[in-house]
């Protein structure tokens, strides 16, 4: 603009060269011109802008250097590591944008940059090499001539605002969009159009700190305002940290949140499968039931406590090379839930095989129809109910722990201290009821206990607490001491098997092998 309004003789011969050289160094260049108008203030106010600016004399250049934030390069590198393509949409000149993109490694070192500029949106667009200044006559040939190991061109494109509008008007933007790294001289409406074009291809996030970014922040799938001014009003997210590093932090938290939501979903599905699977089938087949205190333990402490603490897992320190699954019926969820359910059902069924083989076992010989329905918990006064009670309790507790594994989007499982404390307490509590001699805790759950006189006949001390008489011919459901430890080891083996399934198959080497051999069909982008 200043060049157009200045008298030609006042402009230095190297005006264009110096301005371009300063822009290549990342400087903001403001040209200054002056003019003496021999008129009164009232007469000057009556003049048009063109009349005031016409015939100015060039005065000089104001040069500003906006230094890159220290964490910008590392943030861009982390975004690339997380399979996230970063582009620059700026109102500055294209050469300044290219310099900044190279400084933060958004444009890889040694990569050729071709700049497309147009005097007006009507075109034409002229492509030139940023470093040599030579024109590029065949852009498609330039994009094909040098490819990296992934098949992407070793060329990045940059366009000015007028060139961008011309490419949009002629439909060329569709084939060039994902090759353009720097969009320069973009007005607020142009930024919105640029974001909407990217949204056609992939989930698109926009970050900005100025009022001219508000439209794009609002239009994007995810908007992050790096400001507490007007931009923060329209953006769904805002950050006081005015750095690109906030984008990395937001992506880490969002991926961890999605992974945690699916982990809680999987845990509750497994909870329901244990409840409606072997537990209900055993209840119907053997005419048994869990006691009321055990139901309260499972629903009140196990399900609620583990669901709450699973959500306390923090995000991973680094972004993974792929996003977490977003498919409820995808292979990851089906493998995680289906494998766990099958293993639990198998162990529950084999537990009865073990029980029926014990010499001390006596099957439940009473009729459930004779039980007072107001005391339905008396249906659990037998070995069949004790076996399913203990093994299902361990399965309920373990299911919450299984899906605490952070994989690559959440912090390691051992960092979720609240869940570990709750899990350890519940495992210890149930183990104590199983392994200890008849005691107040076990008898409150009517597990490993019996009628008072029967316990005395078995060689135990008479309980100092009241026990409602057992509703079975044996009068107790106490396991022999050696059998208690054997069954406890069996329950631990069940937990170990499901944990190995998660570690080796769902989240481990089997998953990695399948991911390499059968990758998902997703949009391939040059990061």
């Amino acid at each position: 603009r200043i060049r157009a309004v200045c008298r030609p003789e006042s402009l230095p011969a190297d005006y264009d060269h110096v301005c371009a050289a300063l822009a290549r160094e990342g400087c903001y260049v403001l040209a200054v011109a002056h003019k003496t108008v021999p008129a009164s203030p009232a007469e000057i106010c009556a003049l048009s802008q063109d009349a005031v600016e016409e015939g100015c004399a060039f005065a000089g250049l104001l040069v500003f250097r906006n230094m890159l934030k220290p964490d910008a390069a590392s943030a861009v590198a982390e975004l690339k590591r997380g399979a996230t393509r970063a582009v620059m949409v700026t109102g500055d000149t294209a050469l300044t944008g290219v310099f900044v993109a190279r400084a933060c490694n958004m444009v890889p070192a040694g990569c050729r940059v071709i700049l497309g500029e147009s005097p007006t949106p009507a075109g034409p667009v002229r492509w030139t090499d940023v470093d040599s200044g030579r024109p590029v006559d065949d852009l498609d040939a330039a994009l094909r001539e040098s490819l990296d190991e992934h098949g992407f061109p070793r060329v990045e494109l940059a366009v000015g605002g007028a060139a961008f509008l011309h490419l949009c008007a002629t439909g060329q933007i569709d084939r060039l969009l994902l090759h353009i790294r720097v969009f320069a001289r973009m007005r607020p409406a142009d930024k919105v159009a640029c974001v909407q074009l990217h949204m056609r291809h992939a989930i698109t996030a926009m970050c900005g700190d100025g009022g001219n970014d508000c439209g794009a922040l609002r239009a994007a799938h995810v908007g992050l305002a790096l400001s507490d001014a007007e931009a923060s009003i329209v953006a769904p997210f805002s950050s006081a940290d005015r750095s690109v590093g906030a984008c990395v932090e937001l992506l880490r938290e969002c991926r961890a949140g999605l992974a945690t939501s699916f982990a809680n979903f999987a845990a509750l599905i497994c909870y329901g499968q244990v409840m409606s699977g072997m537990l209900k089938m055993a209840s119907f087949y053997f005419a048994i039931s869990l006691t009321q205190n055990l139901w309260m333990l499972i629903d009140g402490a196990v399900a609620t406590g583990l669901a709450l603490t699973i959500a306390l897992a923090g995000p991973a320190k680094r972004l993974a090379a792929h996003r977490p699954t977003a498919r409820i019926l995808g292979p990851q969820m089906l493998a995680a839930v289906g494998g766990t359910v099958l293993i639990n059902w198998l162990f529950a069924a084999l537990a009865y095989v073990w029980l029926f083989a014990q010499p001390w076992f006596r099957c439940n010989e009473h009729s459930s129809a004779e039980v007072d329905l107001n005391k339905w918990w008396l249906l659990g006064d037998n070995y069949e109910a004790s076996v399913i009670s203990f093994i299902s309790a361990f399965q309920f507790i373990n299911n919450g722990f299984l899906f605490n594994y952070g994989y690559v989007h959440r912090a390691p499982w051992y960092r979720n201290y609240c869940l570990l404390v709750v899990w350890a307490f519940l495992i210890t509590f149930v183990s104590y009821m199983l392994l200890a001699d008849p005691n107040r805790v076990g008898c409150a759950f009517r597990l490993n206990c019996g009628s008072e006189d029967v316990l005395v006949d078995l060689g135990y001390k008479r309980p100092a607490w009241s026990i409602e008489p057992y509703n079975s011919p044996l009068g107790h459901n106490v396991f022999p001491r050696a059998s208690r430890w054997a069954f406890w080891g069996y329950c631990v083996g069940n937990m170990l098997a499901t944990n190995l399934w998660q570690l080796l198959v769902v989240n481990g080497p089997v998953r990695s092998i399948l991911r390499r051999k059968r990758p998902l069909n997703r949009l391939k982008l040059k990061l």
Side-chain angles (χ1 to χ4, degrees), residues 346-351 354 391 485-495:
L346 178 63
F347 270 85
L350 293 178
W354 171 84
I391 198 163
W485 282 98
F487 188 57
W488 180 82
Y490 182 83
C491 294
V492 171
N494 183 3
M495 294 191 294

Side-chain angles (χ1 to χ4, degrees), residues 67-81:
M67 301 301 294
L68 207 62
K69 286 185 170 62
D71 65 339
S74 60
V76 171
E78 187 66 13
L79 288 173
K80 290 185 177 183
R81 183 180 185 274

